[in-house]
Amino acid sequence: MTKEFHHAFEILIVLDGAQETVLENEQYIIQQDEILLIPPGFEHTNHCISPESMTYFCAHFDIDEPALRMKIMKNCDWVYTPSSPYHNRLRTCLQKWIDILNDRDILFATAKLRAQVVLFELLEILMDIQPTTTDVRTNQSITTAKYAKEIAEAIKWTFKKRCIETNGSVDFTIHIQPIIASLGISPNYGLEVFQKIYQMSPRKYLSDLKLQEAKILLQQPQLSLNEIANRLGYKNLSHFSRQFKRWTGINPSEFRKKTSI
């Protein structure tokens, strides 16, 4: 895999063979049955180092609660070997996801619900890894996380509100600093804590919201590409298409065709 990073956590288990992972310029060799947890925002590459091939399972999951997100990023290990006290629980949890994939007769809605149940089990394990003691620095971190969450929710609410209000009108612009100031937080401090907690700028977060909304709208065949571009605040379809291709590597019509199969 080429160098990449994700807004979400990535968890991976090597089922057969071995892989090399370079994570923030550090090399890790992940052997069979070992588990890798990559925090959001961390650049990494994965590639097979087995002579013939390897088999792995990989999942991405996001956490909307900034305090929990930060705790997991701070306190969880990146690699869990079979000797780790948490390995068996993590391995059992991931196997449940694999079993869902292997069930050819399961309905999509049922699979989705079961996958979410397993995710809650995974989060419970990651919470058990966290230390139970707190100190002044932890309380300060929780306050920082609270501010970051307020900013994220305000950006999300403003974006959704603009999409609904415009309903086909174009060229709405969302300015980040006034949103932060409206919460009673210094814009410069708000930008700093948001970057610290989410490992991205508020502007990048807004861009991710647009991408998510674009993907949802593109899967609604009754909406034309022009309507979708307008709803998302683009001046014209060409502008939206260029931006979507920068995000995904394909244009909106290709994405729509791919997801409709």
Side-chain angles (χ1 to χ4, degrees):
M1 301 295 292
T2 57
K3 181 180 287 188
E4 59 182 354
F5 69 91
H6 314 291
H7 173 51
F9 287 87
E10 176 178 340
I11 190 165
L12 180 149
I13 182 169
V14 174
L15 301 171
D16 181 57
Q19 78 170 33
E20 178 197 57
T21 295
V22 178
L23 179 58
E24 292 293 304
N25 298 318
E26 291 288 332
Q27 182 194 53
Y28 299 87
I29 304 300
I30 314 301
Q31 303 286 352
Q32 182 176 348
D33 212 34
E34 293 184 346
I35 296 169
L36 174 69
L37 179 66
I38 302 176
F42 282 59
E43 286 192 340
H44 59 278
T45 58
N46 297 324
H47 76 269
C48 170
I49 57 172
S50 301
E52 296 181 0
S53 64
M54 64 172 283
T55 305
Y56 69 95
F57 171 79
C58 176
H60 296 82
F61 62 94
D62 200 7
I63 300 173
D64 288 335
E65 175 52 53
L68 175 58
R69 180 187 179 98
M70 183 179 63
K71 284 180 181 180
I72 291 174
M73 290 176 65
K74 180 180 178 182
N75 298 312
C76 288
D77 293 328
W78 288 355
V79 179
Y80 291 88
T81 65
S83 62
S84 165
Y86 294 98
H87 177 271
N88 285 340
R89 292 177 65 191
L90 290 169
R91 178 69 172 85
T92 300
C93 201
L94 294 178
Q95 184 60 50
K96 291 180 180 180
W97 264 337
I98 296 170
D99 291 342
I100 295 172
L101 286 176
N102 290 334
D103 187 347
R104 302 299 181 186
D105 298 324
I106 193 171
L107 296 174
F108 175 77
T110 303
K112 186 175 180 180
L113 288 172
R114 289 184 185 175
Q116 291 174 342
V117 170
V118 177
L119 176 57
F120 282 117
E121 293 178 11
L122 175 61
L123 293 178
E124 183 179 5
I125 298 168
L126 297 178
M127 278 300 298
D128 288 345
I129 296 173
Q130 308 306 309
T132 56
T133 58
T134 58
D135 55 24
V136 173
R137 288 174 297 178
T138 300
N139 289 333
Q140 290 174 341
S141 296
I142 291 174
T143 300
T144 299
K146 178 176 177 291
Y147 286 151
K149 182 180 181 182
E150 288 179 355
I151 294 168
E153 290 299 322
I155 293 172
K156 185 185 296 185
W157 180 84
T158 303
F159 172 68
K160 292 290 186 181
K161 184 170 181 285
R162 293 286 177 86
C163 286
I164 294 171
E165 286 177 347
T166 55
N167 194 26
S169 64
V170 298
D171 198 22
F172 68 76
T173 302
I174 295 176
H175 298 285
I176 299 296
Q177 293 198 356
I179 293 175
I180 298 174
S182 71
L183 300 172
I185 303 171
S186 163
N188 287 339
Y189 177 69
L191 294 173
E192 179 184 335
V193 299
F194 194 97
Q195 179 72 42
K196 180 179 179 181
I197 298 300
Y198 284 96
Q199 299 293 303
M200 66 172 67
S201 68
R203 179 58 58 186
K204 175 64 169 58
Y205 179 78
L206 176 59
S207 179
D208 285 354
L209 289 177
K210 281 191 175 184
L211 173 57
Q212 292 170 17
E213 186 70 13
K215 287 181 176 180
I216 291 171
L217 294 175
L218 285 168
Q219 293 179 67
Q220 300 179 36
Q222 73 275 16
L223 296 177
S224 70
L225 295 181
N226 276 313
E227 285 180 281
I228 294 170
N230 290 341
R231 287 194 185 193
L232 294 172
Y234 290 95
K235 295 179 180 179
N236 52 59
L237 178 56
S238 296
H239 186 195
F240 169 60
S241 295
R242 285 195 301 271
Q243 180 59 55
F244 191 85
K245 192 164 187 176
R246 280 196 289 266
W247 281 330
T248 65
I250 59 176
N251 62 45
S253 58
E254 290 172 324
F255 177 87
R256 169 169 275 180
K257 183 178 180 181
K258 182 178 178 181
T259 55
S260 65
I261 297 175

